[in-house]
Amino acid sequence: MLLIDCPFCGKRTESEFAYGGPALAPRPDPAALTDAEWVDWLTVPPNPLGWVEERWWHARGCGAWLTLRRHTVTHEIAEVRHGR
């Protein structure tokens, strides 16, 4: 289980949080992409090995949205930021 250090509530287990997905670059202009590229952007989530940035909502706590820098293999959390 992940232990997430909320900047407002302190260390809490991941059961208090809801996963919000990867912290992505801004949404691309659909007119600048092919249909296949647009469908891929909408439906194929990134699943890299290594460090990723993810969004987590402290649903059973303060309600803040956090951005975590987490290693997908070790689940080590290197950074927690409020907001984007």
Side-chain angles (χ1 to χ4, degrees), residues 68-81:
L68 276 63
R69 183 166 159 76
R70 182 181 68 84
H71 197 281
T72 59
V73 176
T74 65
H75 300 292
E76 175 188 354
I77 297 173
E79 180 183 11
V80 178
R81 297 186 317 268

Side-chain angles (χ1 to χ4, degrees), residues 34-72:
T34 67
D35 287 346
E37 290 170 332
W38 181 239
V39 169
D40 280 350
W41 191 89
L42 290 172
T43 62
V44 180
N47 190 20
L49 290 175
W51 292 102
V52 295
E53 287 200 351
E54 301 172 325
R55 303 280 292 145
W56 288 78
W57 176 44
H58 199 173
R60 292 179 186 89
C62 63
W65 276 94
L66 307 175
T67 300
L68 276 63
R69 183 166 159 76
R70 182 181 68 84
H71 197 281
T72 59

